[in-house]
Amino acid sequence: MESPIDAAEQAAEKSARWDFLQFLQRFCRLCAAVGRRSAAAGAALWRLVRSGIKKLCRGLKPSKKEASACLSLLQRVYRLCAAIGLKSAAAGAALWRLMCGGLEKISQAFRPSKVGKKGMVLSILNYGGPVVAAAALVLTVVFWAGRSFGIEVRYEGESLGYISSEEVFDGAVERINDQLALRTGQDILSEPTFSFAMLSGRQVMDEAQLADALITHSDDITQAYGLFLDDKLLTTAGDPDVLRTALDAYLESYRAGMGNEGEQTGLRAAFMGELSIEEGVYPASAVNSDAQAKADIAAGGTDEAKLEVKVIMEEIYEEEIPFATVEVPDGTRLEDYRKTKTEGKNGVASVTAQVTYIDGQEIDRQVLSSEVVTEPTDQQVVVGTMTMSQYEEQKAMSSAKTAESKNSSFVWPVGASNYVSAYYGDGRGHKGYDIASSAGAPILAADSGKVVSVNATGSAYGLHFVVDHGNGVQTLYAHCSSMNVSVGQKVSRGEVIARVGRTGRATGNHLHFEVWENGSRVNPSRYLK
């Protein structure tokens, strides 16, 4: 039969175990709540709680109620320790009081008894080990719960700052790509180095701040300005004013070059196409020096982006007014006859025109006004209107008149002592009569007529002239020493019209006398009796 003392000891042990179990239940609830701040810590805490419960159940052999209490540990632990994870001072104080009270109960539950000191130590290790480990984990979680961590970004050996995740870097790269004014199709940024770091109050950069830092510290890209012509890159520079100044100088060179001819006003010059200066991020290797940018523009751009300048100006200049040709009909000439009677002369007009050039080549000219300075002089051309049938009829009539005139005779053309020194033909092709006489002897008109030509110099005939007697008959008087006639003068039969001489190619004083019928020489003997 069990003694009253044994029964009392068993009751006390059972009560102590029950108090310890309640402590462990409350403690584990707090630890589980702390674990909510970290999935890994929460999982480790849960494994620790389960291990402690199993060891406690094996040692104490709990009742159904005790086992149920063990199974409900997780719910309460998460509730209390979550508050600690949210930095609740009250929850932290509650955890501290719980730990102190729990340790007191452990010392009461395992006070030395009949099991001896060794048994007590083993019991403390069996039941207290999980509790101590759980407490260490809770303290660790609580310590790190108040700390912030980030990723340090190092680029080309230099620390740029801290970001919350690598996605921030990817977003910064996208921002830089969006700012790229010139795309090469290749990665323009070197790979950065990432390392895990405690922030300790350091500021975390967002995508925009990191993008600015990358542009500032990178040797691969830089902020610059590009000159684009119809979306094609012409050149780049670090200063937009360099590009603007070079463009103005290029236009000015065209204005100066177009001002060399005539009087010009209202000159306007502009570039063809869409020209723009775009600020953005460029590969450092593509950004030119100021001198190179100026040289690119002065050269007129590239084959892909060629500068073209359109110049519009008003020009005042003189322009010839072409003369008109007026035909004067002549019924005495055949239809194929054309002879200029009066030479034409162009007039002059003062013209004001708007002229358009592209790269110095004229592409359009619009006359705004024109004022005549000098009127043109018409050219008069005599045009024959006689048909061939009319000509044949006229020729027949002329022949009839000539035949009729042959019955009449000329007076002897020399009015002094004379003789014929050479006859027509005479075996050497002589074309008339040479009538020798003394120098200065009078020369008479063989018949009445009109002087049609007078030649004073430049001929082998010397001083000579021709008299037209009508009906196609003409006489020629050559080698004269002097002449008393002029073109258009009418002379009478037997009138003194000249003096015998030896001008021209002649060996002695004589008159060379010829007779012409319808443009051909004939023997003077037919008219001289």
Side-chain angles (χ1 to χ4, degrees), residues 227-255:
L227 177 60
F228 288 84
L229 177 60
D230 294 331
D231 295 329
K232 295 178 181 178
L233 182 65
L234 192 152
T235 190
T236 57
D239 185 353
D241 290 336
V242 171
L243 302 178
R244 296 188 185 99
T245 302
L247 289 174
D248 290 343
Y250 193 79
L251 283 181
E252 187 58 35
S253 68
Y254 266 86
R255 295 188 186 98

Side-chain angles (χ1 to χ4, degrees), residues 34-48:
V34 176
R36 291 183 64 186
R37 293 299 300 273
S38 170
L45 180 58
W46 171 242
R47 291 194 297 272
L48 180 60

Side-chain angles (χ1 to χ4, degrees), residues 480-502:
C480 304
S481 61
S482 64
M483 299 181 295
N484 302 330
V485 296
S486 60
V487 175
Q489 178 181 339
K490 292 182 179 181
V491 295
S492 301
R493 179 183 177 91
E495 181 182 351
V496 176
I497 55 179
R499 298 288 177 178
V500 174
R502 55 181 300 177

